């Protein structure tokens, strides 16, 4: 068993922020499923929303966020995030993040994205996430108080109830996690005073996504199994513009292309967005994604086109160098021709319920970033608020962690593999993974119906039964852990969607096309909380006893 002050599961911007903010006083272990930079943060193209000019205001940023969130944003949290945006950006500049400057060097270039009333997106060309991630990761890797475990995946959280520590009536507390070393195949026990879930989203639950392969909803699934509430899981943001090409895996075309004048067109060159929303290409993502989905289904199209070729070539290349290079590799010159695009699952607005410091329902457990539901995004995330949320709540969680008194170290049970064997074949994992993703895409996508949701739930439950049996009898692997978590998250998404009898934000139902007058979040509670914990202690599985 290894002991740390703080265990951080996830190596994206949220996790790195907490690590750097507490490392001066705490001994930190940061767990990365793959290499430290293999995460959604590294893939983020657009930028970070912050009020940085005199003609903009925090009130305007708040209002834009509330409008995009379709009535479900927590106004206090929205103000908290918008008010701390500038100091967050200034901290990143101090760390050395190379944000793009104006051509004359007078200041930083700010772009505008859908849903924003002002130019307030500070960026590093079209690879902001990579620039920020690389800068902070270098500091984390060299910090003497931070241990980084790459190629490790968390299996489950360890709670006081599961470990048999304390009286049964005591409130449960998170004591650490079981973590699988993907290289050795061994599961280690990591104890921590405080545990932080920063595992990102769950885009891989869908057939088409802009997310990297590591986005499998691990934090949401683990916290749910530990007894935490989750909220607003039905609000899955589909990014309107993912590159459509057989050789382009999950390549995003940033919102900023539309912000800088890109026009969405049909194959015949018709600009269709004005027929769907007066804001045209600058409408929020849910509006644009549904418009593209509508046009594709109506006309039987494989894709639509995003055209920025009317802008000067040097402007396009300098503002979107990553997109330009990738498209050229595929034979598409975006300075001369439009980009074929389709919507794809992009961001989870819901997640583990937290307070304004990132605390969850389980003592000593925090959730930040896309894993969490803080109340900022409501029913639809405003563009470029996600990286901002990671850092603002990373700072808030760090401050709270530093204020917590220490507790005596406890001895935690080791992982027990005495009753399981090596899997005889893993075809069930591959097959069920593919079936789940296709089921979610077909039945729980941009447009939903009650019948589709019922069909999806039926299939998910059958798949879960198969995977649970597999999990109970064979040693764990990275793929098995991810599939188990994805199935849990898929069920939570469908359950949440079935409970919302209206269309709001990212959730659009043909059976309930109108939006209700009163906005109410969807909150799911583990109704069989204690029975699940009891089963965890006794079932014939490869978990600790």
């Amino acid at each position: 068993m290894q002991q740390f002050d703080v265990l951080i599961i996830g190596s994206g911007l949220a996790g790195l922020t907490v690590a750097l903010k507490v490392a001066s006083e705490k001994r930190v272990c940061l767990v990365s499923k793959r290499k430290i930079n293999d995460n959604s943060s590294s893939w983020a193209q657009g930028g970070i929303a912050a009020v940085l000019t005199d003609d903009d205001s925090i009130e305007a940023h708040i209002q834009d966020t509330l409008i995009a969130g379709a009535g479900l944003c927590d106004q206090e949290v929205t103000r908290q995030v918008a008010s701390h945006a500038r100091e967050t950006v200034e901290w990143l500049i101090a760390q050395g993040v190379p944000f793009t400057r104006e051509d004359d060097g007078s200041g930083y270039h700010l772009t505008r994205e859908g849903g924003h009333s002002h130019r307030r997106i500070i960026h590093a060309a079209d690879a902001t996430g990579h620039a920020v991630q690389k800068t902070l990761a270098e500091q984390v890797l060299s910090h003497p108080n931070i241990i980084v475990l790459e190629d490790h995946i968390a299996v489950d959280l360890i709670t006081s109830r599961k470990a048999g520590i304390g009286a049964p009536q005591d409130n449960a507390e998170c004591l650490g996690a079981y973590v699988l070393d993907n290289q050795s195949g061994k599961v280690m026990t990591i104890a921590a005073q405080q545990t932080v879930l920063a595992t990102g989203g769950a885009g891989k639950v869908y057939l088409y996504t802009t997310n990297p392969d590591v986005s499998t909803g691990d934090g949401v699934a683990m916290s749910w199994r530990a007894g935490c509430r989750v909220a607003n899981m039905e609000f899955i943001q589909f990014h309107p513009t993912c590159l459509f090409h057989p050789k382009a895996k999950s390549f995003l075309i940033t919102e900023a292309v539309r912000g800088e004048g890109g026009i969405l067109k049909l194959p015949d060159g018709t600009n269709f967005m004005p027929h769907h929303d007066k804001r045209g290409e600058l409408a929020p993502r849910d509006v644009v994604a549904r418009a593209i989905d509508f046009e594709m289904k109506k006309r039987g199209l494989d894709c639509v086109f995003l055209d920025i070729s009317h802008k000067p070539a040097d402007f396009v290349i300098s503002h979107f160098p990553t997109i330009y290079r990738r498209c050229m590799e595929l034979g598409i010159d975006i300075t001369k021709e439009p980009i074929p695009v389709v919507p794809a699952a992009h961001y989870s607005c819901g997640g583990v319920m937290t307070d304004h410091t990132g605390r969850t329902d389980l003592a000593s457990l925090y959730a930040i970033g896309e894993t969490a539901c803080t109340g900022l995004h409501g029913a639809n995330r405003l563009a470029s608020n996600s990286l901002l949320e990671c850092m603002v709540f990373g700072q808030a969680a760090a401050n709270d962690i530093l204020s917590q008194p220490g507790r005596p170290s406890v001895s935690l049970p080791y992982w027990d593999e005495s009753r399981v064997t090596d899997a005889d074949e893993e075809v069930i994992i591959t097959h069920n993974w593919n079936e789940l993703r296709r089921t979610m895409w077909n039945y729980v996508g941009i447009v939903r119906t009650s019948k589709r949701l019922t069909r999806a739930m039926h299939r998910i439950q059958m798949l879960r039964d198969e995977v649970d049996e597999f999990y109970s009898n064979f040693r764990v692997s990275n793929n098995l852990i991810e599939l188990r978590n994805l199935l849990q998250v898929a069920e939570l998404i469908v359950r949440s969607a079935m409970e919302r009898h209206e269309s709001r934000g990212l959730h659009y139902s043909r059976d309930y096309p109108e939006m209700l007058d009163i906005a109410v979040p969807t909150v799911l509670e583990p109704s069989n909380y204690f029975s699940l914990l009891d089963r965890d202690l006794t079932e014939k599985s490869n978990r600790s006893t």
Side-chain angles (χ1 to χ4, degrees), residues 451-472:
K451 182 178 290 186
R452 291 177 186 176
L453 294 176
T454 300
R455 288 174 176 169
M457 180 62 80
H458 176 69
R459 192 58 204 147
I460 289 167
Q461 290 172 341
M462 291 178 62
L463 294 173
R464 279 199 65 189
D465 288 343
E466 292 179 8
V467 171
D468 284 347
E469 181 182 0
F470 195 91
Y471 180 82
S472 298

mmCIF file of all heavy atoms in Angstrom, residues 451-472:
data_model
loop_
_atom_site.group_PDB
_atom_site.id
_atom_site.type_symbol
_atom_site.label_atom_id
_atom_site.label_comp_id
_atom_site.label_asym_id
_atom_site.label_seq_id
_atom_site.Cartn_x
_atom_site.Cartn_y
_atom_site.Cartn_z
ATOM 1 N N LYS A 451 -39.310 5.913 -27.293
ATOM 2 C CA LYS A 451 -39.141 4.535 -27.761
ATOM 3 C C LYS A 451 -37.654 4.210 -27.938
ATOM 4 O O LYS A 451 -37.190 3.125 -27.559
ATOM 5 C CB LYS A 451 -39.890 4.327 -29.075
ATOM 6 C CG LYS A 451 -39.811 2.897 -29.604
ATOM 7 C CD LYS A 451 -40.614 2.721 -30.884
ATOM 8 C CE LYS A 451 -42.097 2.788 -30.601
ATOM 9 N NZ LYS A 451 -42.902 2.474 -31.818
ATOM 10 N N ARG A 452 -36.912 5.149 -28.507
ATOM 11 C CA ARG A 452 -35.479 4.925 -28.694
ATOM 12 C C ARG A 452 -34.777 4.756 -27.347
ATOM 13 O O ARG A 452 -33.901 3.899 -27.187
ATOM 14 C CB ARG A 452 -34.854 6.100 -29.457
ATOM 15 C CG ARG A 452 -35.280 6.221 -30.904
ATOM 16 C CD ARG A 452 -34.645 7.454 -31.532
ATOM 17 N NE ARG A 452 -35.136 7.704 -32.885
ATOM 18 C CZ ARG A 452 -34.803 8.763 -33.621
ATOM 19 N NH1 ARG A 452 -33.971 9.656 -33.123
ATOM 20 N NH2 ARG A 452 -35.299 8.917 -34.837
ATOM 21 N N LEU A 453 -35.138 5.574 -26.370
ATOM 22 C CA LEU A 453 -34.509 5.496 -25.056
ATOM 23 C C LEU A 453 -34.815 4.163 -24.370
ATOM 24 O O LEU A 453 -33.941 3.562 -23.735
ATOM 25 C CB LEU A 453 -34.982 6.656 -24.178
ATOM 26 C CG LEU A 453 -34.556 8.057 -24.638
ATOM 27 C CD1 LEU A 453 -35.181 9.119 -23.743
ATOM 28 C CD2 LEU A 453 -33.030 8.197 -24.647
ATOM 29 N N THR A 454 -36.046 3.685 -24.517
ATOM 30 C CA THR A 454 -36.424 2.403 -23.924
ATOM 31 C C THR A 454 -35.613 1.264 -24.546
ATOM 32 O O THR A 454 -35.140 0.361 -23.847
ATOM 33 C CB THR A 454 -37.929 2.148 -24.107
ATOM 34 O OG1 THR A 454 -38.666 3.193 -23.469
ATOM 35 C CG2 THR A 454 -38.333 0.809 -23.512
ATOM 36 N N ARG A 455 -35.476 1.307 -25.871
ATOM 37 C CA ARG A 455 -34.680 0.288 -26.550
ATOM 38 C C ARG A 455 -33.226 0.336 -26.084
ATOM 39 O O ARG A 455 -32.594 -0.714 -25.867
ATOM 40 C CB ARG A 455 -34.765 0.492 -28.062
ATOM 41 C CG ARG A 455 -36.109 0.117 -28.664
ATOM 42 C CD ARG A 455 -36.165 0.486 -30.136
ATOM 43 N NE ARG A 455 -37.418 0.035 -30.756
ATOM 44 C CZ ARG A 455 -37.811 0.415 -31.964
ATOM 45 N NH1 ARG A 455 -37.068 1.248 -32.689
ATOM 46 N NH2 ARG A 455 -38.958 -0.035 -32.460
ATOM 47 N N ALA A 456 -32.696 1.533 -25.952
ATOM 48 C CA ALA A 456 -31.306 1.680 -25.519
ATOM 49 C C ALA A 456 -31.114 1.117 -24.110
ATOM 50 O O ALA A 456 -30.160 0.379 -23.841
ATOM 51 C CB ALA A 456 -30.900 3.150 -25.562
ATOM 52 N N MET A 457 -32.020 1.443 -23.194
ATOM 53 C CA MET A 457 -31.905 0.963 -21.820
ATOM 54 C C MET A 457 -31.956 -0.559 -21.758
ATOM 55 O O MET A 457 -31.178 -1.190 -21.019
ATOM 56 C CB MET A 457 -33.010 1.564 -20.955
ATOM 57 C CG MET A 457 -32.964 1.121 -19.499
ATOM 58 S SD MET A 457 -31.437 1.637 -18.665
ATOM 59 C CE MET A 457 -31.861 3.354 -18.302
ATOM 60 N N HIS A 458 -32.847 -1.164 -22.529
ATOM 61 C CA HIS A 458 -32.958 -2.624 -22.555
ATOM 62 C C HIS A 458 -31.639 -3.253 -22.984
ATOM 63 O O HIS A 458 -31.159 -4.216 -22.352
ATOM 64 C CB HIS A 458 -34.082 -3.037 -23.510
ATOM 65 C CG HIS A 458 -34.227 -4.522 -23.680
ATOM 66 N ND1 HIS A 458 -34.672 -5.358 -22.680
ATOM 67 C CD2 HIS A 458 -33.956 -5.321 -24.752
ATOM 68 C CE1 HIS A 458 -34.676 -6.609 -23.119
ATOM 69 N NE2 HIS A 458 -34.247 -6.607 -24.375
ATOM 70 N N ARG A 459 -31.029 -2.711 -24.038
ATOM 71 C CA ARG A 459 -29.794 -3.291 -24.542
ATOM 72 C C ARG A 459 -28.635 -3.050 -23.580
ATOM 73 O O ARG A 459 -27.790 -3.938 -23.356
ATOM 74 C CB ARG A 459 -29.463 -2.697 -25.928
ATOM 75 C CG ARG A 459 -28.360 -3.444 -26.642
ATOM 76 C CD ARG A 459 -28.699 -4.907 -26.820
ATOM 77 N NE ARG A 459 -27.507 -5.741 -26.976
ATOM 78 C CZ ARG A 459 -27.412 -6.977 -26.541
ATOM 79 N NH1 ARG A 459 -28.413 -7.552 -25.928
ATOM 80 N NH2 ARG A 459 -26.306 -7.665 -26.724
ATOM 81 N N ILE A 460 -28.589 -1.873 -22.976
ATOM 82 C CA ILE A 460 -27.520 -1.555 -22.030
ATOM 83 C C ILE A 460 -27.556 -2.501 -20.836
ATOM 84 O O ILE A 460 -26.517 -2.993 -20.376
ATOM 85 C CB ILE A 460 -27.633 -0.085 -21.565
ATOM 86 C CG1 ILE A 460 -27.258 0.855 -22.713
ATOM 87 C CG2 ILE A 460 -26.738 0.186 -20.357
ATOM 88 C CD1 ILE A 460 -27.626 2.300 -22.460
ATOM 89 N N GLN A 461 -28.743 -2.781 -20.342
ATOM 90 C CA GLN A 461 -28.863 -3.670 -19.189
ATOM 91 C C GLN A 461 -28.424 -5.094 -19.522
ATOM 92 O O GLN A 461 -27.800 -5.768 -18.695
ATOM 93 C CB GLN A 461 -30.293 -3.647 -18.659
ATOM 94 C CG GLN A 461 -30.657 -2.317 -17.991
ATOM 95 C CD GLN A 461 -32.122 -2.203 -17.619
ATOM 96 O OE1 GLN A 461 -32.971 -2.926 -18.135
ATOM 97 N NE2 GLN A 461 -32.432 -1.272 -16.731
ATOM 98 N N MET A 462 -28.722 -5.540 -20.735
ATOM 99 C CA MET A 462 -28.258 -6.865 -21.150
ATOM 100 C C MET A 462 -26.734 -6.898 -21.231
ATOM 101 O O MET A 462 -26.092 -7.854 -20.773
ATOM 102 C CB MET A 462 -28.865 -7.230 -22.510
ATOM 103 C CG MET A 462 -30.365 -7.477 -22.474
ATOM 104 S SD MET A 462 -31.033 -7.852 -24.122
ATOM 105 C CE MET A 462 -30.160 -9.367 -24.508
ATOM 106 N N LEU A 463 -26.152 -5.849 -21.791
ATOM 107 C CA LEU A 463 -24.693 -5.777 -21.888
ATOM 108 C C LEU A 463 -24.054 -5.701 -20.509
ATOM 109 O O LEU A 463 -23.011 -6.314 -20.252
ATOM 110 C CB LEU A 463 -24.284 -4.565 -22.734
ATOM 111 C CG LEU A 463 -24.674 -4.604 -24.211
ATOM 112 C CD1 LEU A 463 -24.359 -3.277 -24.887
ATOM 113 C CD2 LEU A 463 -23.949 -5.741 -24.935
ATOM 114 N N ARG A 464 -24.675 -4.954 -19.603
ATOM 115 C CA ARG A 464 -24.136 -4.832 -18.248
ATOM 116 C C ARG A 464 -24.128 -6.183 -17.541
ATOM 117 O O ARG A 464 -23.176 -6.515 -16.828
ATOM 118 C CB ARG A 464 -24.950 -3.829 -17.434
ATOM 119 C CG ARG A 464 -24.589 -2.378 -17.691
ATOM 120 C CD ARG A 464 -25.070 -1.492 -16.560
ATOM 121 N NE ARG A 464 -24.372 -1.813 -15.321
ATOM 122 C CZ ARG A 464 -24.708 -1.315 -14.141
ATOM 123 N NH1 ARG A 464 -25.757 -0.516 -14.032
ATOM 124 N NH2 ARG A 464 -24.028 -1.624 -13.066
ATOM 125 N N ASP A 465 -25.176 -6.968 -17.726
ATOM 126 C CA ASP A 465 -25.222 -8.293 -17.096
ATOM 127 C C ASP A 465 -24.065 -9.157 -17.580
ATOM 128 O O ASP A 465 -23.418 -9.857 -16.795
ATOM 129 C CB ASP A 465 -26.557 -8.976 -17.398
ATOM 130 C CG ASP A 465 -27.720 -8.345 -16.647
ATOM 131 O OD1 ASP A 465 -27.466 -7.613 -15.670
ATOM 132 O OD2 ASP A 465 -28.885 -8.574 -17.050
ATOM 133 N N GLU A 466 -23.800 -9.104 -18.881
ATOM 134 C CA GLU A 466 -22.707 -9.899 -19.443
ATOM 135 C C GLU A 466 -21.359 -9.444 -18.893
ATOM 136 O O GLU A 466 -20.509 -10.263 -18.517
ATOM 137 C CB GLU A 466 -22.716 -9.786 -20.971
ATOM 138 C CG GLU A 466 -23.913 -10.448 -21.649
ATOM 139 C CD GLU A 466 -23.881 -10.284 -23.162
ATOM 140 O OE1 GLU A 466 -22.852 -9.780 -23.684
ATOM 141 O OE2 GLU A 466 -24.862 -10.649 -23.821
ATOM 142 N N VAL A 467 -21.153 -8.128 -18.853
ATOM 143 C CA VAL A 467 -19.871 -7.597 -18.397
ATOM 144 C C VAL A 467 -19.692 -7.797 -16.895
ATOM 145 O O VAL A 467 -18.583 -8.087 -16.427
ATOM 146 C CB VAL A 467 -19.749 -6.111 -18.781
ATOM 147 C CG1 VAL A 467 -18.523 -5.472 -18.127
ATOM 148 C CG2 VAL A 467 -19.646 -5.973 -20.296
ATOM 149 N N ASP A 468 -20.759 -7.672 -16.112
ATOM 150 C CA ASP A 468 -20.659 -7.909 -14.673
ATOM 151 C C ASP A 468 -20.235 -9.348 -14.381
ATOM 152 O O ASP A 468 -19.432 -9.603 -13.467
ATOM 153 C CB ASP A 468 -21.996 -7.613 -13.984
ATOM 154 C CG ASP A 468 -22.250 -6.124 -13.837
ATOM 155 O OD1 ASP A 468 -21.302 -5.341 -14.037
ATOM 156 O OD2 ASP A 468 -23.403 -5.748 -13.538
ATOM 157 N N GLU A 469 -20.784 -10.273 -15.136
ATOM 158 C CA GLU A 469 -20.391 -11.677 -14.952
ATOM 159 C C GLU A 469 -18.918 -11.868 -15.301
ATOM 160 O O GLU A 469 -18.173 -12.559 -14.599
ATOM 161 C CB GLU A 469 -21.259 -12.583 -15.823
ATOM 162 C CG GLU A 469 -20.928 -14.062 -15.660
ATOM 163 C CD GLU A 469 -21.765 -14.955 -16.569
ATOM 164 O OE1 GLU A 469 -22.597 -14.413 -17.325
ATOM 165 O OE2 GLU A 469 -21.587 -16.185 -16.511
ATOM 166 N N PHE A 470 -18.491 -11.232 -16.377
ATOM 167 C CA PHE A 470 -17.093 -11.320 -16.804
ATOM 168 C C PHE A 470 -16.186 -10.716 -15.734
ATOM 169 O O PHE A 470 -15.160 -11.286 -15.353
ATOM 170 C CB PHE A 470 -16.932 -10.572 -18.129
ATOM 171 C CG PHE A 470 -15.650 -10.863 -18.863
ATOM 172 C CD1 PHE A 470 -15.587 -11.889 -19.786
ATOM 173 C CD2 PHE A 470 -14.508 -10.106 -18.635
ATOM 174 C CE1 PHE A 470 -14.411 -12.162 -20.479
ATOM 175 C CE2 PHE A 470 -13.333 -10.356 -19.317
ATOM 176 C CZ PHE A 470 -13.288 -11.387 -20.240
ATOM 177 N N TYR A 471 -16.596 -9.558 -15.211
ATOM 178 C CA TYR A 471 -15.816 -8.852 -14.187
ATOM 179 C C TYR A 471 -15.696 -9.677 -12.905
ATOM 180 O O TYR A 471 -14.675 -9.623 -12.208
ATOM 181 C CB TYR A 471 -16.482 -7.506 -13.892
ATOM 182 C CG TYR A 471 -15.793 -6.657 -12.856
ATOM 183 C CD1 TYR A 471 -14.698 -5.862 -13.190
ATOM 184 C CD2 TYR A 471 -16.240 -6.647 -11.539
ATOM 185 C CE1 TYR A 471 -14.063 -5.083 -12.236
ATOM 186 C CE2 TYR A 471 -15.615 -5.866 -10.574
ATOM 187 C CZ TYR A 471 -14.536 -5.084 -10.937
ATOM 188 O OH TYR A 471 -13.914 -4.312 -9.981
ATOM 189 N N SER A 472 -16.728 -10.454 -12.603
ATOM 190 C CA SER A 472 -16.752 -11.228 -11.362
ATOM 191 C C SER A 472 -15.864 -12.462 -11.406
ATOM 192 O O SER A 472 -15.534 -13.021 -10.354
ATOM 193 C CB SER A 472 -18.185 -11.670 -11.040
ATOM 194 O OG SER A 472 -19.017 -10.560 -10.834
#
